[in-house]
Amino acid sequence: MARTSASKTSLPEPSRAAIAALGRDIATARKRRRIPQQLLADRMLVGRQTLQRLEAGDPAVSLGAFASALFVLGFTSRLQDLLAPERDAAGMSEEIARLPRRTHASSNYDLDF
């Protein structure tokens, strides 16, 4: 009896859809480069079945397998930029909201020149 991964049943639908889209995009990039599945799987150091599951958007495929596919296809920099702090608009907004409303110099400083 096959074991069902919790990632398949508990993953929110938008996340599942994003993983499926990433898998399709990897398949499209592979086909545009005319790389057979077996060759890409060999370069990724995974089995062809793992690559097939990845391209099908199986959420149980490891992040390492996705990262390996992106590396082989030349998209590593896009993976690095995924959550780069400078692109995190919501995080920057929260950080700005936590800044003090007013600032004033401490009385301990001697500002006499």
Side-chain angles (χ1 to χ4, degrees):
M1 179 180 208
R3 207 171 98 190
T4 303
S5 172
S7 64
K8 290 183 180 182
T9 57
S10 65
L11 198 62
E13 183 53 39
S15 298
R16 209 174 307 159
I19 291 171
L22 180 58
R24 285 191 306 273
D25 292 347
I26 288 172
T28 299
R30 175 186 60 78
K31 291 173 186 175
R32 284 182 172 172
R33 289 162 176 74
R34 294 193 171 122
I35 300 174
Q37 277 187 333
Q38 187 60 55
L39 181 58
L40 182 58
D42 290 345
R43 289 179 179 176
M44 293 171 55
L45 303 175
V46 300
R48 196 172 105 224
Q49 186 178 19
T50 299
L51 177 59
Q52 289 171 338
R53 289 177 37 234
L54 182 150
E55 290 182 350
D58 184 347
V61 174
S62 75
L63 177 60
F66 277 99
S68 182
L70 293 172
F71 173 78
V72 171
L73 294 170
F75 291 111
T76 303
S77 64
R78 294 181 72 186
L79 181 61
Q80 291 170 334
D81 291 340
L82 191 60
L83 283 176
E86 62 273 6
R87 293 176 170 250
D88 184 10
M92 282 192 276
S93 176
E94 288 293 320
E95 191 172 346
I96 289 169
R98 286 191 299 266
L99 289 175
R101 299 272 184 234
R102 296 181 180 189
T103 58
H104 44 84
S106 174
S107 61
N108 295 344
Y109 293 115
D110 184 15
L111 300 177
D112 189 21
F113 292 97

